Amino acid sequence: GLLYFAIIFSTLPIPLYDPTTGEPLVDQGHKPLELVLAVVQLTFTLLRYIFLESYVSCLVCSSILVVMIGIIEDKMPLYKRVPFGLWWGWMHILSATALIALLHCLMSFAHHSGMVESGQGRWESSMERQVTSGVRDLVNATAGCAADAGWNATSKLLQDALAATSSGCSLSAPPASHSIMSVVLTVVTWVTSLGLKAFDVVEGMTYFAINIAGPSIGTFSATASRVDVLLYYAATPVVSFIVGAFLLVSVSITDTAYDAAYSAFQIEDFKHFLRFRLDRHTRALKVFAIGIDRVPKVWERDDRHDAETAASESNPVPPHLRRFPSVWKPSASL
């Protein structure tokens, strides 16, 4: 996540309109093939911007290409390492730009087709509305129960706090009653509202793409606030950090999520396999778990296998009884 974010960092924010024509990237009138063409066009526009106009993303992409060449196995000749490393590095760069282009084309289609509620100056969230409605019903029911029990002061306090938070007051405009409960509920409402909007990913990204992006790639709107800019740039690193922290805590403390945590590392070592043996006399099945800490990365042909195969032509040996059943063996240099 952080690597791909660094690749497309300089292109952000990306407007949902074509910088040259001012037309939407994709609207409800586009056909599937036109959507594909729009994604391809935006992808090459972003690549051109990264390598010809940006600084941070260009440096990151150039570093990726160099690193990809350097991490190829030393045994491979240089004339093979260079194109192989460039190919893999270019695939990462192309994947990052194509994914962000697809995302913005889909957001453009959703926005211009009326599939999202956020728009110019509006950050809406169906999740927020549902949770807010449920909390208000709960507070009203609690106030009613308090009134029935004779706790009139508590009931009135809950009703006043609910009225204050429902009237649109914010942190910069505290409720008129100035009661501690009203102020606390106002702060909680504001923070909860922001959190629920952030969890509604599609609405949030559409809002930022419309209200923060300037007329061209990599530029901000003149009306974009610093808070919006901070939230826009912090979204991907924060999400990556939260997911990583969750996996760290899960593995270290709760002893769970090992598959999710270690599959992300793509560790080639520390592998094991199972060997089964069925006893011909007792019919008992025995399972042997064989684990190795380090998996060989370079292999070479095993001459002992060839010699054993040649000798078995005159004296056949079952495959499971061969001493050297594999054609390959780990390189002696390792």
Side-chain angles (χ1 to χ4, degrees):
L2 291 176
L3 174 63
Y4 277 29
F5 178 77
I7 291 175
I8 51 95
F9 178 82
S10 295
T11 65
L12 300 176
I14 302 172
L16 300 184
Y17 297 87
D18 191 316
T20 56
T21 63
E23 297 292 329
L25 294 176
V26 181
D27 58 25
Q28 58 183 350
H30 280 70
K31 298 179 180 179
L33 180 58
E34 293 175 327
L35 171 61
V36 174
L37 294 177
V39 173
V40 173
Q41 180 180 359
L42 181 58
T43 300
F44 282 99
T45 302
L46 295 176
L47 290 173
R48 178 185 177 279
Y49 182 87
I50 287 174
F51 286 102
L52 298 182
E53 301 183 39
S54 71
Y55 297 98
V56 176
S57 293
C58 183
L59 178 61
V60 171
C61 293
S62 301
S63 301
I64 290 175
L65 295 175
V66 174
V67 170
M68 285 298 175
I69 296 174
I71 64 176
I72 305 299
E73 295 291 347
D74 294 337
K75 297 294 182 180
M76 183 178 292
L78 182 62
Y79 72 90
K80 290 184 178 180
R81 293 174 59 189
V82 172
F84 191 73
L86 290 176
W87 168 259
W88 278 108
W90 177 250
M91 286 297 100
H92 280 293
I93 297 170
L94 183 61
S95 298
T97 52
L99 287 173
I100 199 67
L102 174 62
L103 176 63
H104 279 75
C105 287
L106 292 177
M107 284 195 299
S108 176
F109 176 80
H111 171 62
H112 293 98
S113 301
M115 299 171 64
V116 292
E117 301 179 12
S118 298
Q120 190 65 41
R122 303 190 321 275
W123 189 1
E124 304 291 344
S125 170
S126 57
M127 183 185 300
E128 178 195 5
R129 284 201 312 275
Q130 294 172 3
V131 173
T132 301
S133 177
V135 171
R136 288 175 180 171
D137 292 342
L138 178 61
V139 173
N140 280 326
T142 305
C145 293
D148 295 339
W151 299 344
N152 296 325
T154 302
S155 176
K156 187 177 185 305
L157 181 63
L158 290 173
Q159 291 175 353
D160 291 344
L162 182 61
T165 55
S166 302
S167 61
C169 60
S170 62
L171 295 179
S172 59
S177 63
H178 294 287
S179 67
I180 297 178
M181 180 64 72
S182 298
V183 174
V184 170
L185 284 180
T186 298
V187 175
V188 172
T189 301
W190 185 84
V191 174
T192 305
S193 174
L194 181 61
L196 291 174
K197 288 176 178 177
F199 276 109
D200 202 336
V201 179
V202 176
E203 294 283 356
M205 295 189 68
T206 303
Y207 167 79
F208 284 122
I210 295 173
N211 293 272
I212 291 183
S216 59
I217 295 174
T219 60
F220 289 95
S221 171
T223 59
S225 67
R226 294 182 179 179
V227 175
D228 287 343
V229 173
L230 177 62
L231 290 175
Y232 182 82
Y233 271 117
T236 297
V238 168
V239 170
S240 299
F241 175 78
I242 291 175
V243 173
F246 162 75
L247 294 176
L248 175 62
V249 172
S250 299
V251 172
S252 304
I253 299 178
T254 64
D255 198 29
T256 58
Y258 279 94
D259 286 345
Y262 284 94
S263 63
F265 291 138
Q266 298 182 356
I267 300 175
E268 298 182 8
D269 296 321
F270 300 99
K271 303 299 181 184
H272 75 277
F273 61 93
L274 302 179
R275 191 71 181 263
F276 296 89
R277 181 177 183 273
L278 183 61
D279 192 294
R280 68 169 62 183
H281 302 292
T282 63
R283 299 297 182 183
L285 177 64
K286 297 182 180 180
V287 182
F288 301 89
I290 303 174
I292 53 178
D293 294 337
R294 188 168 183 271
V295 175
K297 309 300 189 299
V298 181
W299 300 80
E300 61 186 23
R301 192 174 184 88
D302 192 349
D303 297 332
R304 296 171 299 179
H305 169 81
D306 297 337
E308 188 178 40
T309 301
S312 65
E313 294 180 357
S314 57
N315 185 20
V317 178
H320 65 282
L321 295 181
R322 288 190 175 187
R323 295 186 59 193
F324 309 104
S326 176
V327 180
W328 306 101
K329 67 176 182 179
S331 176
S333 60
L334 300 178

